[in-house]
Amino acid sequence: MAEYLASIFGTEKDKVNCSFYFKIGACRHGDRCSRLHNKPTFSQTILIQNIYRNPQNSAQTANASRCKSRFSIMLACGSADGLHCAVSDVEMQEHYDEFFEEVFTEMEEKYGEVEEMNVCDNLGDHLVGNVYVKFRREEDAEKAVLDLNNRWFNGQPIHAELSPVTDFREACCRQYEMGECTRGGFCNFMHLKPISRELRRELYGRRRKRHRSRSRSRERRSRSRDRSRGGRERERRRSRDRERSGRF
Ligand SMILES: [Zn+2]
Ligand SMILES: [Zn+2]
């Protein structure tokens, strides 16, 4: 019996423990869930709830009407319905990459080495804008949670917690990865928002080098130099794009 219970723990067959909380670290029923959410006392992974705001999601509703009256913008972004025009895909990706890089770098500089970081593109309240950071060491995750809960981001208090998620492949929606999830943004499995290939190379590629490198401090110095250069370049690109779309 005990063996059977262990084998179904956290799966859909488990009537006691919530499989969604176990796999994804978030369940749409939240505290009212009829099954148990076993909060871990140790974990490499932390969840920072609802912290990324996709400018396209808010633009679709808030700016739709304002946007429609501005024909030039619609032309600039080639959006026939005018719904997506306030924030182009390029701008959205830059905005997202910048957010990702800022959080990733801060996690490493303040708390410790990050193995993997993921951001949900889902729209349901319990998943929207969720950021999962998997640290190499559990102590760093613990330190991060304690500190982050005393901090603010974009005028909002941060809510961070240790998360049971260890394997993101288990947490992700397979259909979404194949481009065929019919549940869309309200799917209850993770739809992860990809960062650009350049940023991926920059954040994860350089880190592999750092493992080999003896002098971490020298590496870090050159890293922040790189970063400010990258930031300036992006800023230039952004203002160029702005001029082109005539938004300001
Ligand atoms: Zn649940
Ligand atoms: Zn899905």
Side-chain angles (χ1 to χ4, degrees):
M1 190 59 193
E3 231 167 82
Y4 172 71
L5 286 178
S7 77
I8 62 163
F9 184 85
T11 69
E12 265 111 287
K13 279 195 217 111
D14 190 336
K15 295 280 174 260
V16 181
N17 302 289
C18 173
S19 67
F20 281 97
Y21 182 75
F22 180 66
K23 275 194 229 164
I24 294 138
C27 144
R28 70 196 164 97
H29 303 297
D31 293 335
R32 292 178 319 249
C33 186
S34 60
R35 300 185 191 187
L36 277 178
H37 290 186
N38 292 297
K39 307 222 166 195
T41 36
F42 303 99
S43 178
Q44 283 171 269
T45 310
I46 68 165
L47 160 61
I48 310 174
Q49 279 176 1
N50 310 127
I51 196 173
Y52 178 67
R53 299 264 141 98
N54 182 336
Q56 276 183 328
N57 293 342
S58 38
Q60 278 174 32
T61 46
N63 293 334
S65 52
R66 180 172 64 96
C67 220
K68 272 180 187 144
S69 63
R70 298 180 66 178
F71 189 58
S72 60
I73 302 169
M74 285 163 63
L75 283 180
C77 65
S79 161
D81 58 7
L83 288 178
H84 292 271
C85 59
V87 184
S88 72
D89 289 345
V90 176
E91 281 177 309
M92 187 280 295
Q93 189 64 50
E94 281 183 4
H95 174 271
Y96 175 58
D97 277 3
E98 231 162 80
F99 165 85
F100 194 100
E101 184 178 12
E102 186 190 330
V103 176
F104 189 103
T105 318
E106 188 162 339
M107 293 295 131
E108 290 217 310
E109 278 169 4
K110 277 215 154 96
Y111 310 121
E113 194 178 320
V114 170
E115 236 171 53
E116 185 177 353
M117 178 172 135
N118 290 300
V119 180
C120 290
D121 208 10
N122 303 63
L123 295 175
D125 288 341
H126 63 297
L127 287 174
V128 64
N130 279 5
V131 173
Y132 294 80
V133 186
K134 185 176 181 190
F135 289 93
R136 199 160 70 83
R137 284 178 298 265
E138 287 180 343
E139 308 91 87
D140 295 339
E142 189 179 14
K143 203 164 50 176
V145 165
L146 288 173
D147 187 54
L148 285 167
N149 280 318
N150 293 316
R151 293 178 55 191
W152 292 65
F153 184 82
N154 276 349
Q156 302 277 338
I158 294 177
H159 180 83
E161 62 186 35
L162 288 178
S163 172
V165 177
T166 46
D167 182 353
F168 287 93
R169 298 224 41 87
E170 279 293 306
C172 283
C173 171
R174 307 259 150 89
Q175 289 93 324
Y176 176 72
E177 287 169 355
M178 318 273 286
E180 48 198 39
C181 175
T182 53
R183 290 160 294 209
F186 291 93
C187 181
N188 287 317
F189 288 93
M190 287 184 191
H191 288 189
L192 297 184
K193 196 170 171 57
I195 51 174
S196 67
R197 204 176 308 151
E198 297 77 44
L199 184 60
R200 178 162 299 280
R201 205 177 304 133
E202 194 180 320
L203 294 177
Y204 294 105
R206 192 193 293 123
R207 219 157 36 113
R208 271 197 295 280
K209 260 182 264 151
R210 192 172 35 161
H211 276 300
R212 271 178 257 134
S213 156
R214 288 253 191 81
S215 162
R216 289 184 63 147
S217 63
R218 200 193 301 150
E219 186 79 25
R220 198 171 295 154
R221 268 201 302 280
S222 70
R223 191 153 56 117
S224 57
R225 251 203 325 271
D226 283 0
R227 193 152 37 103
S228 60
R229 208 188 305 137
R232 269 200 304 280
E233 173 57 31
R234 258 202 299 283
E235 187 52 52
R236 258 201 307 280
R237 246 184 298 147
R238 229 204 328 270
S239 58
R240 216 169 42 222
D241 289 343
R242 261 187 224 132
E243 277 160 28
R244 214 176 293 149
S245 67
R247 217 149 56 83
F248 292 92

